Amino acid sequence: MGFETRRAAFLIVMWTSQLLPPSASCRMASPRIVTSPLGEKRFQFDSSENHIVLYHEKGTPSVYVGAVGMLYYYNFENSTNYAVSFGTEGTLSSCRKRKDAKNYLTLLEKYEGKLLICGTNACNPTCWNWVDGKKEPGINAQGLAPFGLDQNDLVLIDGKDIYSTIKKHQYNGRIPRFRRIRGSAELYTSDTVMNKPQFVKAAVIKQNEAYNDKIYYFFREENPEWPKNAAAPTSVSRVAQLCKGDQGGSGSLSGAKWTTFLKATLLCVDSATDRHFNRLQDVFIVEAADWPETRVYGLFLNEWGYAAVCVYTVGDIDKVFRTSPLKGYNGQLPTVRPGQCQEGEQLTPPETFKVADSHPEVAHKVKQDAILFHSKHRYQQIGVHQVQVADKNTYTVLYLATDKGTIHKVAVLPMGTMNVLEIQPFRSFADIRSMTLDNERNELYVASVSEVVQLPMAMCGAYKDNCESCMLARDPSCGWINGKCTSVYDHGNGTLLQALTHDVFLDVCASSNHGSTKGDYTEPCKNITVVPSSRYYLNCSIESHHANYTWLHHNRNIAHCGSGHRHCIHFIGNMTDELYGTYSCISQEDSFNQTLVTECLINPFEETTTTLFRAWATKASFSFWLGLFHMIVVLLLIQ
Ligand SMILES: *[C@@H]1O[C@H](CO)[C@@H](O)[C@H](O)[C@H]1NC(C)=O
Ligand SMILES: *[C@@H]1O[C@H](CO)[C@@H](O)[C@H](O)[C@H]1NC(C)=O
Ligand SMILES: *[C@@H]1O[C@H](CO)[C@@H](O)[C@H](O)[C@H]1NC(C)=O
Ligand SMILES: *[C@@H]1O[C@H](CO)[C@@H](O)[C@H](O)[C@H]1NC(C)=O
Ligand SMILES: *[C@@H]1O[C@H](CO)[C@@H](O)[C@H](O)[C@H]1NC(C)=O
Ligand SMILES: *[C@@H]1O[C@H](CO)[C@@H](O)[C@H](O)[C@H]1NC(C)=O
Ligand SMILES: *[C@@H]1O[C@H](CO)[C@@H](O)[C@H](O)[C@H]1NC(C)=O
């Protein structure tokens, strides 16, 4: 197995469509296309794995990958790596289907200081501890690993407590539940509070008083209003709340049930166009020191597969649960409100539980604090990173995994949301199976079925090493210093030049002395011999979809390419005398012009050959003349 840092094998490809701003005033994306060393490192699995889970502990340089009967470890810093077989163990398989009779590793997490590894173990869920590179027996796997692969598994570990949506018995318990399976006493959700839920994400949010600490989980479920109301969406997105300190009810029927469950609809609507995004796809939570400021980034899709990102604050979610009436409940609310956490050893009173259990949904919906954008891309996963830039302000950067095996880096800037880069992390086209952010190391870990890649969050090498390109990229993680487009993580001391707040590109490069090329950046003329009457085409690669590209011939505009082209091409069908000379391809973005290519088309017979040769020239092929020149050179050498 090889450890590789194939720096050049990394591709940043072109952008195909732009982000639509939720409101009118928003600058469009300006992604770049580059093939250059950007600092990525990669490991290839021994074989292609059709199922993987990725575990990365923040701040470490390594990842663990759980696959089918296999555990991989990769250290990106010192290239230590290993693969260990994790085959089925113990009693013979109790699987009905043969494809299940394998050990699918489904959970890799730190629990009580050890790496906990759980797998299906041929329909006999089992957990192990991974200690000093060795397998040790682990805790009871009931609820920690499923009996076979299941798309609806969610496990949340918080200190000693473990919460899970995995069913505990193979052939019963078809109604999904959200349980506390370890730590404090076991609890589960009533079977009537959710309608065929698909779980998306769960998180613990600590409040100021410990008894108020909450678990929020996000899910989709079938809309009870559909098909009664044919216009209603078939499924709705929800957030549910539970008190961490919930101790269950006092009656025999409610003793092991959560008594603080409430759910609310999560709305993601572009009010300008009244477009609704109903299908919650992924959630990323950015914690704040002050809990109400903690932000929930929800990635949604609509019925056509278009994506939108909506942001909610935990303060807003909490307020809806605390203040909203219950849907369909008209009676007087009990003294202890449904959803209210109890202090100390107190249990939720039975009358409160009764009301909450029969009316689990609150009437008010959770509205987004902001919709960042919507886009034609069918994004699958979201990661959010806060970047402190040179002027000490903090910017939000989103990493969105597409369904085409690429990642879009999207910056939330004062003038709007902008797609700054499209990253193709794998050597060959492959789906992104897993993506994890490490905001201590400022790296991204991405896995496909055949490899796992560590990518720096700042890939400033993608923006040509000239000041204007570096500024125009508007990537918060990059700035200009010492003649290079440099990562803010490498030079976080305020000396970097950035232009993130300007709507129209201001010539910050020219007005400062940052080793800038001051816009007079030109490529040397490439001499190209073109035979008269032959064909030739001029090709200029499009780097930014935010720029215009123009081919000039002796400063006369001969071809213009807007966005949507991959290459700006000018075709010469029949080379004639007046078509020789200097051609240059100029990109224009805001007020910044840049010459990308200069080609000097030269007639091979014009200066170097005599009139006699010229008479033949139009009839003879170029290769003939090449051959003749070659012979002349050889003859001269012999003499
Ligand atoms: C690589 O680093 C890991 C910890 O980060 C350490 O356990 C391992 O021994 C190191 N291997 C080598 C070859 O240095
Ligand atoms: C600030 O950046 C400059 C330029 O790269 C570097 O020489 C200097 O050491 C940095 N200072 C600090 C305190 O990091
Ligand atoms: C191209 O040819 C011209 C003369 O025809 C010469 O001055 C120039 O240096 C050449 N450029 C390159 C890059 O070879
Ligand atoms: C190219 O143009 C020349 C001059 O106009 C003409 O004589 C010749 O037939 C043309 N060749 C082709 C292939 O069209
Ligand atoms: C233009 O150049 C790019 C890269 O330089 C290349 O991928 C593309 O195939 C070229 N287009 C044509 C039509 O030759
Ligand atoms: C590109 O060209 C069009 C038409 O010439 C113009 O309206 C537009 O502003 C240009 N865009 C840029 C970024 O220069
Ligand atoms: C940039 O190029 C365009 C034509 O491509 C021209 O109209 C404009 O004046 C140029 N701008 C600058 C600042 O040179």
Side-chain angles (χ1 to χ4, degrees), residues 199-215:
F199 300 103
V200 173
K201 194 78 149 208
V204 169
I205 305 286
K206 302 233 167 19
Q207 295 203 359
N208 299 340
E209 310 86 12
Y211 80 92
N212 253 332
D213 290 351
K214 299 267 171 23
I215 300 150

Side-chain angles (χ1 to χ4, degrees), residues 19-20 41 76 163 265 269 294 296 407 420 471 499 564:
L19 300 182
L20 303 171
K41 297 181 176 182
F76 289 98
Y163 307 89
T265 300
V269 182
T294 291
V296 175
I407 298 167
V420 294
M471 294 298 106

Side-chain angles (χ1 to χ4, degrees), residues 61-62 73 75 77-80:
S62 56
Y73 168 85
N75 186 317
E77 217 159 68
N78 63 17
S79 61
T80 302

Side-chain angles (χ1 to χ4, degrees), residues 105-117:
L105 298 184
T106 57
L107 182 73
L108 267 64
E109 283 288 346
K110 266 276 159 72
Y111 184 61
E112 309 211 292
K114 292 175 185 157
L115 180 63
L116 178 67
I117 298 177

